[in-house]
Amino acid sequence: MAARKIAKEGIVLLKNNNKILPVNIGSLNRILVVGENAVKMMSRDGGSSEAKSKYEVVPLEGIRKYVAGRIEVDYQPGYSSTASKSVNDSLHTEAVKAAKGADIVLYIGGMNKNLHMDCEGVDRESYNLPYEQDALIADLSVVNPSLVAVMVCGNAYAMPWHKKVPAIVQAWYGGTEAGNAIADVLFGEVNPSGKLPFSFPVKIEDNAAHAFNAYPGDGETVEYKEGIFVGYRWFEKEKIKPLFAFGHGLSYTSFDYGKITLDKKTIKSTDNITVTIPITNSGNREGAEVVQLYIMDMESSLPRPLKELKGFKKVNLAPGETVKVNFTIGKEALSFYTPERHEWVVEPGKFQILVGTASDDIRSSATFRVER
């Protein structure tokens, strides 16, 4: 089913200390699921992000279906998006109490389509999670170290608890088959292969728009003062370490990157250059890796990013298998726009090719020159 396949391939494994994932069903008796997002349908509401779906499998349903007849699955909401503070305090207490007796806790939280969250027309009011979730996650981690945080949302958020939680899964809004896709990844039916499409900053002030005090503007006009230095380009220019970098995403296996080879060391501006790098699955299970190619213009006449993504390829490998991944780089990838000339140009000079598994995890590099 396309919906389930897309949801599974988009899930990003952010952290997996001590290989707590995938969950080993054979070693467990009781799973506790905590969080309102475990039972909340996310295809509804949100303005233009709403999907007219005929059905939606929520995470708790997917988890219970996967382990049916083998493991007991209990549920505690932990918080409510519609309840008073006193009710939420009670839900918090009950969830923490229940977590003490569970073999593993699957926390499924994040945001939703309510106003001031992932909703059209109104901005978020805080970079932190709503409904006191940060405190709830921290308290759960104290009483049960086997804690997995599965976050359902469409954007980055603060994680003051990230060092206390051994595994973090970014599940996004998975659509009609979200619950089944999440269960497939958590229990190892699927080896996660998603990568972050943007960096997760540690704090909101690390973003360029906030650093320049350009957001939210005067209410009528917003100036994009960061220019070309958006996202990972800004973090690298300012030497700001993100919480999780652009392109980051772990797997249940491991991949070794070999040495880059180039078919040419010198090209003209109209030529192409072929980049080849061997990738090996060095783990013990099948998996897919997204190989990312970045380019640095080392002698540009104008300020340029330290590196720019210019290509990526996803390869599926059996344990021990090696495949050679090829990229063809040409004028389009080497050009930049010059305001003075009002055109895209390739300047002569030295360029560096960097290939890796994330923008902050480059495994191999090589240089070449462009001649006039």
Side-chain angles (χ1 to χ4, degrees):
M1 180 184 294
R4 190 164 178 171
K5 182 178 186 294
I6 292 167
K8 290 185 293 188
E9 293 200 19
I11 291 174
V12 182
L13 180 60
L14 296 178
K15 181 181 179 183
N16 192 24
N17 285 6
N18 304 319
K19 297 184 179 179
I20 189 173
L21 292 176
V23 176
N24 182 4
I25 295 177
S27 65
L28 306 178
N29 293 311
R30 177 171 170 261
I31 294 174
L32 176 67
V33 176
V34 178
E36 184 184 71
N37 282 0
V39 297
K40 191 175 182 64
M41 294 181 67
M42 292 298 187
S43 60
R44 307 291 191 264
D45 303 321
S48 59
S49 66
E50 181 175 2
K52 305 298 183 183
S53 58
K54 292 184 178 180
Y55 70 94
E56 181 176 337
V57 179
V58 297
L60 181 61
E61 180 184 355
I63 291 168
R64 282 181 166 161
K65 180 181 177 182
Y66 190 91
V67 303
R70 293 180 285 177
I71 300 176
E72 179 184 355
V73 178
D74 294 336
Y75 172 68
Q76 289 284 338
Y79 68 91
S80 169
S81 59
T82 59
S84 64
K85 185 180 186 306
S86 61
V87 171
N88 268 320
D89 288 345
S90 177
L91 294 174
H92 179 126
T93 300
E94 288 300 315
V96 173
K97 180 181 178 181
K100 294 179 181 179
D103 294 313
I104 191 170
V105 177
L106 304 178
Y107 181 83
I108 303 178
M111 287 178 276
N112 54 40
K113 303 298 184 70
N114 292 356
L115 293 177
H116 300 292
M117 289 191 210
D118 290 334
C119 179
E120 182 180 19
V122 287
D123 295 323
R124 287 166 58 186
E125 296 178 322
S126 172
Y127 188 49
N128 287 81
L129 294 173
Y131 319 122
E132 303 297 326
Q133 290 182 77
D134 291 330
L136 176 57
I137 296 171
D139 287 349
L140 289 170
S141 72
V142 171
V143 300
N144 196 318
S146 296
L147 174 62
V148 178
V150 181
M151 309 310 291
V152 178
C153 58
N155 213 320
Y157 44 90
M159 298 186 201
W161 37 263
H162 76 94
K163 292 183 179 180
K164 303 174 183 178
V165 178
I168 305 172
V169 176
Q170 183 62 35
W172 314 106
Y173 294 115
T176 58
E177 289 288 321
N180 288 329
I182 288 171
D184 285 341
V185 169
L186 292 179
F187 296 107
E189 191 72 25
V190 168
N191 191 347
S193 60
K195 300 284 186 174
L196 286 183
F198 49 81
S199 300
F200 275 42
V202 175
K203 58 185 185 299
I204 196 68
E205 293 80 11
D206 289 343
N207 285 304
H210 292 268
F212 284 117
N213 199 29
Y215 174 85
D218 60 10
E220 295 183 358
T221 303
V222 175
E223 182 180 356
Y224 288 79
K225 297 181 179 180
E226 63 266 42
I228 63 171
F229 295 101
V230 297
Y232 69 91
R233 301 175 179 183
W234 170 258
F235 291 115
E236 294 189 345
K237 174 178 177 290
E238 297 299 314
K239 296 181 172 60
I240 299 172
K241 183 175 175 58
L243 187 60
F244 295 105
F246 173 84
H248 173 78
L250 305 178
S251 171
Y252 294 152
T253 189
S254 56
F255 299 97
D256 292 342
Y257 283 60
K259 185 178 180 180
I260 288 175
T261 57
L262 308 177
D263 69 334
K264 308 179 188 71
K265 286 291 187 178
T266 303
I267 63 172
K268 295 181 180 180
S269 62
T270 55
D271 292 340
N272 291 333
I273 186 169
T274 299
V275 182
T276 302
I277 183 167
I279 308 296
T280 301
N281 182 343
S282 54
N284 57 10
R285 64 178 296 165
E286 182 180 350
E289 171 70 333
V290 180
V291 183
Q292 302 162 43
L293 182 144
Y294 299 82
I295 288 184
M296 176 193 295
D297 186 342
M298 303 176 72
E299 298 176 1
S300 173
S301 62
L302 293 178
R304 302 293 302 146
L306 291 180
K307 61 168 128 12
E308 293 179 278
L309 181 72
K310 294 298 183 178
F312 60 89
K313 288 187 178 180
K314 190 171 189 176
V315 291
N316 195 78
L317 298 171
E321 183 181 3
T322 299
V323 64
K324 289 185 177 180
V325 179
N326 298 308
F327 296 93
T328 299
I329 301 302
K331 182 177 181 180
E332 183 176 348
L334 303 177
S335 300
F336 66 90
Y337 187 79
T338 58
E340 293 80 9
R341 294 168 58 178
H342 300 285
E343 63 179 344
W344 292 82
V345 301
V346 180
E347 290 185 334
K350 189 176 182 181
F351 290 80
Q352 186 175 35
I353 291 175
L354 308 105
V355 176
T357 186
S359 62
D360 67 342
D361 190 0
I362 299 302
R363 304 293 181 88
S364 186
S365 63
T367 59
F368 67 96
R369 294 196 67 85
V370 175
E371 295 181 338
R372 293 187 183 277

